[in-house]
Amino acid sequence: MQAGKPILYSYFRSSCSWRVRIALALKNIDYETIPTNLIKDGGQQFSKEFQALNPMKQVPVLKIDGITIGQSNLSVLKQLRQENNLPWAQKAISSGFQALEQILQGTAGKYCVGDEVTMADLCLVPQVANAERFEVDLTPYPAISRINKTLLALEAFQVSHPCRQPDTPPELRA
C-alpha cells in the first residue's frame, strides 16, 4: 500500500461524491480533488484515462492508501432526464421521505440517529438537496427538515457542499 494524500475524482453536483466529501471532512482527511465533469465533452468519465481508473465509468472515485474505491447513482438521473419525468422523481423521493420521517420519530436526536453524526446523516443531506432540485415539498417532513438544517450548519457539510467545489460553475457558487 502506498501512503500519500488521497485523491477524490468528483463532480460538484454528484450526491454520491458529496457523501464522500462529507466523510473526508468529518474525519479531517486532507485530499486532492480532481474534477470529473459528467456532462462536458459527452462526460469525462467515459474517457479512456478515466475508464482505466474506474471501468464502471462513474464518480466518485477515491484513491486512498493504494486502494481505488468507486460508486455512483448518475444512471438514475440520466434515465430521468431522458424521460423528463419530474413527477416520477418527486414520487420516489417523497415515498422514501415518508418512510424516513416515521423512522426518525424513534431514532432522531440532534441528528438522524441520536446526537452523533452517522452514515444516515451523510446520506440525508445530499438527498434533501436532490429533493429541493426536483421541487419536492418538504413541509410534510419536519424531522428531515430540522436535521438537514442542523447538519448544514456543521463545517464538514459546508465545505463539502456542491456550491463550494472547484468544479462548480460560477453561476452556482456560494
Side-chain angles (χ1 to χ4, degrees):
M1 303 236 181
Q2 67 185 41
K5 194 175 195 178
I7 300 172
L8 177 64
Y9 295 80
S10 175
Y11 181 60
F12 80 100
R13 196 174 248 168
S14 163
S15 57
C16 296
S17 294
W18 192 1
R19 287 191 288 270
V20 174
R21 292 191 305 262
I22 295 167
L24 292 168
L26 282 170
K27 295 295 184 179
N28 293 313
I29 297 173
D30 187 31
Y31 64 95
E32 176 185 350
T33 299
I34 298 185
T36 306
N37 193 308
L38 303 182
I39 300 169
K40 185 178 178 183
D41 302 324
Q44 294 173 340
Q45 74 276 22
F46 297 115
S47 71
K48 287 184 180 183
E49 296 82 11
F50 193 86
Q51 287 182 46
L53 178 69
N54 182 2
M56 297 274 304
K57 302 173 240 168
Q58 300 171 330
V59 297
V61 173
L62 179 64
K63 290 176 77 172
I64 187 167
D65 296 330
I67 299 169
T68 301
I69 306 165
Q71 187 265 332
S72 184
N73 67 355
L74 180 64
S75 58
V76 174
L77 288 178
K78 278 181 128 175
Q79 189 66 33
L80 284 173
R81 282 191 197 113
Q82 287 174 352
E83 296 178 12
N84 195 18
N85 206 338
L86 182 65
W88 182 90
Q90 291 170 331
K91 183 178 178 183
I93 293 169
S94 294
S95 175
F97 276 8
Q98 287 169 6
L100 179 58
E101 187 73 19
Q102 289 179 351
I103 292 167
L104 291 174
Q105 301 311 309
T107 64
K110 189 174 183 180
Y111 307 116
C112 287
V113 182
D115 295 332
E116 297 292 325
V117 175
T118 66
M119 189 64 193
D121 301 301
L122 275 64
C123 294
L124 178 71
V125 171
Q127 189 61 12
V128 171
N130 286 335
E132 291 169 343
R133 186 172 168 195
F134 288 106
E135 303 169 11
V136 173
D137 178 13
L138 296 174
T139 307
Y141 315 113
I144 290 172
S145 296
R146 176 189 59 77
I147 293 167
N148 184 65
K149 183 178 179 182
T150 302
L151 289 164
L152 286 174
L154 299 177
E155 182 180 2
F157 288 82
Q158 292 174 11
V159 300
S160 63
H161 196 281
C163 69
R164 292 183 173 90
Q165 300 313 300
D167 57 330
T168 303
E171 67 274 11
L172 298 176
R173 289 192 172 273

